[in-house]
């Protein structure tokens, strides 16, 4: 970024391009995805705490997520995040995504679990998996708990009941005025 760039002072962002004109043009582009490819937030909204780790999470986030992102291709298919990368050799690698409690991981077509030591987690929850030589594909999905649907029904019924009660009070008040 040049010294005259108004974007250089935005310390909460990481720029994937040093070309000011490209960033500026992406802000006014009809392709809404273009700015998202060039700029990233430096800090996450939320990180799980693994291994009793509470210090240096932002530095670890930069290391495991932001710095590593350029080596991976991410897309969404069938409500799942799909991450693809190419490897020159077989080894353990940290994939730039956060694994939460009910996250399901499928690596190269095989479901992997931490119970079978098929992956490990970094201090901020990025999975360390065994990549193969060539193309690798990790599919990440989140399984909501069995409690979620009943809670959603309760919320909907509660809102409907409140709105019905307010409507009833309003019409009753109108009727009493006449």
């Amino acid at each position: 970024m040049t010294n005259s760039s108004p974007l250089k002072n935005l310390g909460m962002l990481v720029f994937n391009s040093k070309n000011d004109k490209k960033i500026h043009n992406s802000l006014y582009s009809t392709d809404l995805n273009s700015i998202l490819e060039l700029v990233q937030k430096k800090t996450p909204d939320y990180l799980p705490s693994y291994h009793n780790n509470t210090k240096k999470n932002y530095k670890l986030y930069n290391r495991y997520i932001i710095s590593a992102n350029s080596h991976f291709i991410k897309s969404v298919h069938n409500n799942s995040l799909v991450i693809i990368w190419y490897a020159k050799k077989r080894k353990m690698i940290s994939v730039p995504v956060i694994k939460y409690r009910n996250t399901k991981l499928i690596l190269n077509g095989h479901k992997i679990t931490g119970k079978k030591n098929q992956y490990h987690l970094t201090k901020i929850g990025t999975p360390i998996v065994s990549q193969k030589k060539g193309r690798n594909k990790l599919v990440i999905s989140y399984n909501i708990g069995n409690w979620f649907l009943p809670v959603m029904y309760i919320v909907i019924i509660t809102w409907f009941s409140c709105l019905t009660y307010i409507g009833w009070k309003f019409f009753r008040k109108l009727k009493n005025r006449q």
Side-chain angles (χ1 to χ4, degrees):
M1 300 254 125
T2 63
N3 288 341
S4 62
S5 171
L7 297 174
K8 73 176 176 77
N9 293 323
L10 297 176
M12 68 276 202
L13 298 175
V14 173
F15 297 95
N16 297 330
S17 172
K18 296 195 185 302
N19 184 333
D20 288 350
K21 189 164 183 71
K22 187 175 182 181
I23 294 170
H24 180 270
N25 290 343
S26 71
L27 289 168
Y28 298 98
S29 172
T30 55
D31 178 12
L32 301 177
N33 193 43
S34 62
I35 187 65
L36 297 175
E37 292 174 354
L38 297 175
V39 180
Q40 286 182 294
K41 272 177 59 178
K42 236 185 208 182
T43 57
D45 293 327
Y46 169 77
L47 280 177
S49 182
Y50 291 104
H51 311 291
N52 296 322
N53 178 52
T54 56
K55 298 179 182 174
K56 301 178 183 175
N57 279 351
Y58 292 133
K59 286 183 181 180
L60 293 172
Y61 182 79
N62 186 44
R63 176 180 166 195
Y64 290 118
I65 301 290
I66 293 175
S67 296
N69 258 339
S70 62
H71 306 294
F72 297 84
I73 301 163
K74 295 180 181 180
S75 60
V76 177
H77 297 286
N78 299 326
N79 294 323
S80 295
L81 177 62
V82 178
I83 302 176
I84 296 174
W85 72 97
Y86 295 88
K88 293 181 180 177
K89 63 181 180 176
R90 181 184 170 99
K91 68 176 186 175
M92 299 299 284
I93 186 170
S94 176
V95 182
V97 67
I98 303 295
K99 185 207 176 292
Y100 296 96
R101 184 175 175 194
N102 290 334
T103 303
K104 181 175 139 188
L105 302 174
I106 299 174
L107 178 62
N108 298 321
H110 302 286
K111 182 178 177 182
I112 59 173
T113 65
K115 291 177 183 174
K116 295 181 181 177
N117 291 326
Q118 293 170 320
Y119 70 86
H120 302 285
L121 296 176
T122 64
K123 290 182 179 183
I124 62 166
T126 58
I128 299 171
V129 300
S130 178
Q131 70 182 9
K132 65 180 183 178
K133 183 178 178 180
R135 183 179 186 269
N136 289 274
K137 178 179 175 183
L138 182 65
V139 178
I140 299 105
S141 59
Y142 185 79
N143 297 326
I144 59 173
N146 293 336
W147 55 269
F148 185 77
L149 220 48
V151 169
M152 285 305 297
Y153 288 135
I154 291 169
V155 168
I156 291 168
I157 290 167
T158 302
W159 272 105
F160 181 75
S161 300
C162 289
L163 292 174
T164 302
Y165 177 74
I166 291 169
W168 176 73
K169 291 286 275 187
F170 176 75
F171 285 116
R172 196 168 149 207
K173 193 176 195 180
L174 279 176
K175 188 177 177 183
N176 289 341
R177 283 189 185 170
Q178 294 174 356

